[in-house]
Amino acid sequence: MVMSILIYGGLNSIILALTALGFSLTIGISGVANLAHGGFYVFAGLLTWMLFDGLGLPYFIAILLSVGVTGLLGALMYWTVLLRVRGMVLSEVIATLAIGIGILEFFRWKGFVLYYGLPYFVEGSLEIAGVTIDYHRLSIIGIGFVLLVLLWLFTHYTKIGLAFRAIAQEEYTSLCFGIKSDWIAMLGVAFGSALAAIAAITILPLGTISIGVGYEVLLVAMAVAVVGGLGSTLGTLVASLILGYAQVITATFLAPHWMMVVYLVAIIVVLAIKPSGLFGELKELEERV
Amino acid sequence: MSAKQRDKKKWLFYVSVIWLIINIFPGVCFSQPAAPPIVFGMPAPLGETASIAGWKAAQMAVEELNAKGGVSVGGVKRPIEIYSIDTREHEPGIPIHDALMAIEKLILEKKPHAIAAGPMRSEVLLAALDAIVYKYKLPYMVTISMTPVLQTKITENYDKYKYVFRINPNSIYVVKLLSEVMAFLGKEFGFKKAYLICQDVLWAKATINGVEKEMKATGWEIVGKDIYPTGASEFSASLTKVKETKAQVIVPVFDMPPAAVLLKQARRMKVPAIIAGGIEPAAHSDAWKVFGGEVEGMVNTIFTAGHIPVKALPKSVEFYEKYGKKWGKTEQEKFFGQTGAATAYDSVYVLADAIERAGTLDGEALVKALEKTDMMGSIGRIKFGKDHQVIYGFDPKESAIGVAFQWVKGERVVVFPAQVSEGKIILPPYMK
């Protein structure tokens, strides 16, 4: 039982982190709460399915194309819509929410109301201390860690990555250093969207793709981002660990019925004690003032 | 040529032209006013699989009847027209009131003589009873919603709710079907321990509670019962307990897509228990492909025959094949779940039969005629009980039936009820 909680709690945490990473990155860099995150997630899943199952492309090629196209879609959304409303928080929220719902409902309208499955990356399973876990879930853990490491390296050792951090810290000052904040913000949204696609392609083979998943993913991403602190990658990771383990422990010792309540309770508690989230910096200064 | 001969020729020419016109366009020359159509309505959530399939099946039935000249009303053959409206009741955030408005819009605009199919959500059905059905006094055929409260209402206040008839089974029959499957598993393999898992929605909880009660009464030990919220996608807690308690059967009741995770995770965690219950996404004939073969060995339920061809019920095979031919096999694979299509198809025939017997389109007379329905449909023998629920049982010659099937090597094999079974339940490889 304990090993099962440790292993599946950890796995659940990585899944939550992957789900929320793109959302958190976007808000951290561009300051935009991308509520189209769930729409991009389902878009990437269905696009991969269409390319792989419909057109018969190799799975790996279908994945690469989906991630690329979803990233481009994010950039397009920024350039055509968000650029015009940037800085007006309410307008950004309304615009991204409308785009997200538009994507999901477009698929519903086109008849994608069923269940579509993606294959596992790796077949088979193994036993760790009496707990059976499959290779695909293990690969999710691996992908999660690799992504986090790559993201850290990218934001610390590349020019674009440093520019990401610069506008995240102080946009007006970064302008003085010749950083085109609109371009970087657009890249940030594109990166966030591509991360949503990676999450979708990694997680969706565990179940099936359906329109409703888009709405659920958005709720999860928002819960993790709020608890961890908006825009903080470290916060996203810590919040994922807390929520992931809390969910599995709740399901094991209380009842699975309360699993979804964990998110809501965590949000309420964090907002009551530390409104900026566990590692949030965006509001912290305001709070101090 | 004399003038008289020319006149005669002219006269013959004119007669010939008139004769030709009469023969070529008889309908134009001697047309009588066409018999007005009989109008049916189908308010349902048209973005949801059971309703999509239901709407297509209802159209197919209407086309078949019209091809035979229509339906006789008091000796006059009249064509049928059927109209649908999207109530969107399956979508999150759509209030019941919106669905009711859609139903009323259809009634006011198309003026149907009867509602042939719908609704999906029990909440919409119960609200429509007072807000719409009683107001317009139209025969209303229910083909998806499963709440048994409808029967209670009809029994308690017959005059008010007598217009409503249900073709699909209510959840009590689903409990009965599942309980019989469990009894069969117990008898055949000596299983005694079961773990129940269901979705946190009214119908699923009511069904699992009913199954639990029946199973306990027949000596089963229920070693655990978990209820998962609709968006849940992690089932390791329950599956670990299944392993620890050595449950031999997992009984799931779900209609949500993430239930796929439960099936896949159970296989991946190598849980040595047979899954036998009701998971809607795994009932479709393409589920083997969608789930990558991980439904192997699962015993699933289909609430109405016709959604799977049952050889002992030729009408179910006929309907299944006709639908596939008309709308395409791929479409059929995707939209034929546990119920909705066969019931809508049969509903149109039940209404047509009642209209012919009543000889009128008057609502009161139709209710009386519907109550005396006794005909064979794709779901089995269709007869209504006093509570206006089609009687469900296990012998298609006596009643309508639901079936249990098992996924074996990519095929759905009907395994229950015994009267129609086409194979025996076999233990999946992971239980041997």
Side-chain angles (χ1 to χ4, degrees):
Chain A
M1 178 76 81
V2 177
M3 275 312 287
S4 176
I5 291 171
L6 279 174
I7 291 172
Y8 279 99
L11 179 75
N12 198 32
S13 304
I14 296 289
I15 288 175
L16 294 184
L18 269 175
T19 307
L21 204 56
F23 182 82
S24 180
L25 185 86
T26 307
I27 202 165
I29 295 167
S30 64
V32 174
N34 181 14
L35 300 193
H37 187 75
F40 288 150
Y41 185 93
V42 169
F43 172 83
L46 283 175
L47 184 62
T48 313
W49 177 80
M50 283 187 269
L51 293 171
F52 173 69
D53 214 40
L55 295 181
L57 291 182
Y59 195 28
F60 185 65
I61 302 291
I63 288 171
L64 283 183
L65 279 173
S66 289
V67 174
V69 171
T70 312
L72 284 175
L73 192 68
L76 188 72
M77 177 180 79
Y78 183 87
W79 209 250
T80 53
V81 181
L82 294 178
L83 188 61
R84 281 142 186 81
V85 294
R86 185 135 183 255
M88 296 184 279
V89 177
L90 191 60
S91 301
E92 287 172 356
V93 165
I94 291 169
T96 53
L97 184 64
I99 290 167
I101 292 174
I103 292 170
L104 294 173
E105 295 307 316
F106 170 78
F107 281 118
R108 199 194 299 277
W109 174 61
K110 292 307 286 178
F112 287 87
V113 292
L114 299 160
Y115 320 109
Y116 309 92
L118 291 176
Y120 293 120
F121 296 154
V122 202
E123 289 291 337
S125 53
L126 84 160
E127 205 154 295
I128 304 170
V131 179
T132 314
I133 183 160
D134 53 277
Y135 291 133
H136 185 86
R137 283 183 166 78
L138 284 175
S139 73
I140 292 178
I141 297 175
I143 289 168
F145 276 115
V146 168
L147 259 185
L148 284 168
V149 171
L150 284 179
L151 204 62
W152 188 84
L153 290 172
F154 176 76
T155 49
H156 285 77
Y157 294 101
T158 66
K159 272 193 170 179
I160 296 176
L162 289 168
F164 274 11
R165 288 172 64 212
I167 74 159
Q169 284 170 15
E170 179 47 59
E171 189 170 344
Y172 294 114
T173 313
S174 63
L175 277 168
C176 302
F177 287 90
I179 295 169
K180 290 180 181 174
S181 68
D182 280 336
W183 270 95
I184 296 300
M186 183 190 73
L187 279 178
V189 176
F191 252 70
S193 308
L195 282 172
I198 292 171
I201 291 156
T202 316
I203 299 163
L204 285 172
L206 297 177
T208 53
I209 313 165
S210 65
I211 304 298
V213 167
Y215 294 104
E216 286 151 18
V217 157
L218 179 61
L219 174 75
V220 171
M222 284 170 67
V224 172
V226 168
V227 172
L230 292 173
S232 164
T233 307
L234 179 64
T236 302
L237 190 64
V238 173
S240 299
L241 283 168
I242 293 171
L243 292 174
Y245 273 105
Q247 273 199 318
V248 172
I249 290 167
T250 305
T252 308
F253 296 108
L254 195 56
H257 177 68
W258 300 104
M259 279 172 83
M260 298 301 267
V261 180
V262 168
Y263 294 130
L264 307 174
V265 171
I267 290 174
I268 292 167
V269 170
V270 168
L271 288 181
I273 297 168
K274 194 169 184 292
S276 58
L278 297 176
F279 292 86
E281 290 167 3
L282 290 181
K283 273 195 71 192
E284 204 165 25
L285 198 61
E286 278 177 46
E287 283 162 23
R288 280 189 212 151
V289 172
Chain B
M1 195 183 281
S2 67
K4 199 175 175 185
Q5 274 177 319
R6 270 202 304 274
D7 285 348
K8 196 178 174 185
K9 249 188 157 181
K10 261 188 184 174
W11 187 82
L12 268 172
F13 173 76
Y14 289 133
V15 169
S16 305
V17 169
I18 291 165
W19 183 84
L20 272 172
I21 290 171
I22 288 169
N23 275 280
I24 294 171
F25 307 110
V28 176
C29 301
F30 301 110
S31 67
Q32 289 179 348
I38 299 163
V39 180
F40 291 160
M42 180 175 167
L46 299 175
E48 179 271 334
T49 54
S51 302
I52 294 170
W55 170 232
K56 293 191 171 185
Q59 287 178 87
M60 194 169 89
V62 167
E63 279 175 27
E64 286 171 11
L65 285 164
N66 285 342
K68 289 177 194 161
V71 175
S72 175
V73 186
V76 180
K77 284 269 189 183
R78 290 169 62 168
I80 306 174
E81 284 178 3
I82 186 162
Y83 297 97
S84 67
I85 194 163
D86 190 359
T87 56
R88 299 175 65 210
E89 66 205 71
H90 67 301
E91 291 177 30
I94 297 293
I96 302 298
H97 178 68
D98 283 15
L100 295 181
M101 276 171 61
I103 300 173
E104 195 152 22
K105 185 173 187 281
L106 178 82
I107 292 172
L108 291 172
E109 284 182 0
K110 301 297 178 188
K111 301 191 169 33
H113 298 101
I115 298 295
M120 177 208 174
R121 281 175 60 187
S122 299
E123 292 88 337
V124 172
L125 171 64
L126 295 179
L129 287 179
D130 291 305
I132 291 169
V133 181
Y134 181 63
K135 190 169 157 189
Y136 294 99
K137 297 184 170 51
L138 282 175
Y140 200 121
M141 311 298 281
V142 178
T143 54
I144 309 175
S145 164
M146 292 172 69
T147 176
V149 177
L150 174 66
Q151 270 61 63
T152 314
K153 284 197 163 252
I154 294 170
T155 310
E156 285 174 358
N157 199 341
Y158 174 82
D159 285 334
K160 193 172 179 186
Y161 302 120
K162 64 185 175 186
Y163 305 96
V164 188
F165 292 80
R166 175 152 48 201
I167 303 274
N168 62 297
N170 64 24
S171 52
I172 293 169
Y173 284 107
V174 176
V175 168
K176 207 170 149 191
L177 178 66
L178 277 172
S179 304
E180 290 293 330
V181 172
M182 295 310 142
F184 184 80
L185 279 173
K187 199 176 152 194
E188 192 75 12
F189 302 108
F191 292 159
K192 280 288 163 211
K193 283 182 173 184
Y195 201 102
L196 315 182
I197 306 176
C198 85
Q199 187 180 343
D200 191 6
V201 289
L202 212 55
W203 82 270
K205 283 195 289 185
T207 305
I208 210 82
N209 288 339
V211 171
E212 183 183 16
K213 199 175 156 194
E214 292 286 328
M215 286 179 81
K216 277 182 176 167
T218 50
W220 280 82
E221 184 188 349
I222 307 299
V223 292
K225 183 170 87 169
D226 290 332
I227 299 168
Y228 278 84
T230 297
S233 56
E234 170 55 46
F235 298 89
S236 62
S238 297
L239 292 172
T240 304
K241 285 180 192 167
V242 171
K243 268 183 155 180
E244 285 179 357
T245 54
K246 295 189 174 20
Q248 297 139 323
V249 186
I250 300 172
V251 187
V253 179
F254 285 90
D255 64 15
M256 66 181 194
V261 179
L262 172 67
L263 284 175
K264 289 184 163 188
Q265 203 167 9
R267 293 288 58 78
R268 294 282 139 175
M269 286 178 73
K270 295 185 177 167
V271 179
I274 190 168
I275 298 177
I279 292 189
E280 205 276 340
H284 296 247
S285 60
D286 69 342
W288 184 272
K289 191 179 157 202
V290 172
F291 288 76
E294 291 186 298
V295 286
E296 172 75 55
M298 184 202 176
V299 178
N300 207 351
T301 41
I302 282 186
F303 302 153
T304 48
H307 282 241
I308 184 169
V310 180
K311 285 176 193 151
L313 177 54
K315 283 226 169 214
S316 73
V317 182
E318 189 187 318
F319 164 69
Y320 194 83
E321 284 174 358
K322 273 197 286 194
Y323 187 102
K325 204 171 162 190
K326 181 164 177 61
W327 302 108
K329 284 281 171 200
T330 315
E331 179 106 344
Q332 187 168 34
E333 279 181 355
K334 294 191 175 304
F335 294 128
F336 266 40
Q338 288 173 304
T339 190
T343 46
Y345 179 80
D346 285 350
S347 173
V348 171
Y349 274 97
V350 165
L351 278 170
D353 174 65
I355 290 169
E356 291 205 334
R357 281 186 287 109
T360 170
L361 293 170
D362 173 65
E364 300 293 329
L366 280 182
V367 167
K368 291 285 168 215
L370 280 165
E371 285 173 344
K372 289 174 190 148
T373 298
D374 188 354
M375 61 184 280
M376 285 303 289
S378 67
I379 61 170
R381 187 171 175 180
I382 301 171
K383 278 165 76 177
F384 290 103
K386 281 183 180 169
D387 55 3
H388 289 190
Q389 165 69 52
V390 162
I391 298 162
Y392 274 77
F394 300 124
D395 184 353
K397 288 178 191 140
E398 298 299 323
S399 64
I401 59 164
V403 299
F405 71 87
Q406 187 176 30
W407 278 107
V408 183
K409 293 176 184 160
E411 295 295 326
R412 297 182 299 173
V413 180
V414 177
V415 291
F416 195 84
Q419 290 90 331
V420 300
S421 71
E422 292 160 20
K424 276 195 152 191
I425 296 178
I426 50 172
L427 287 183
Y430 46 84
M431 285 203 70
K432 286 172 185 167

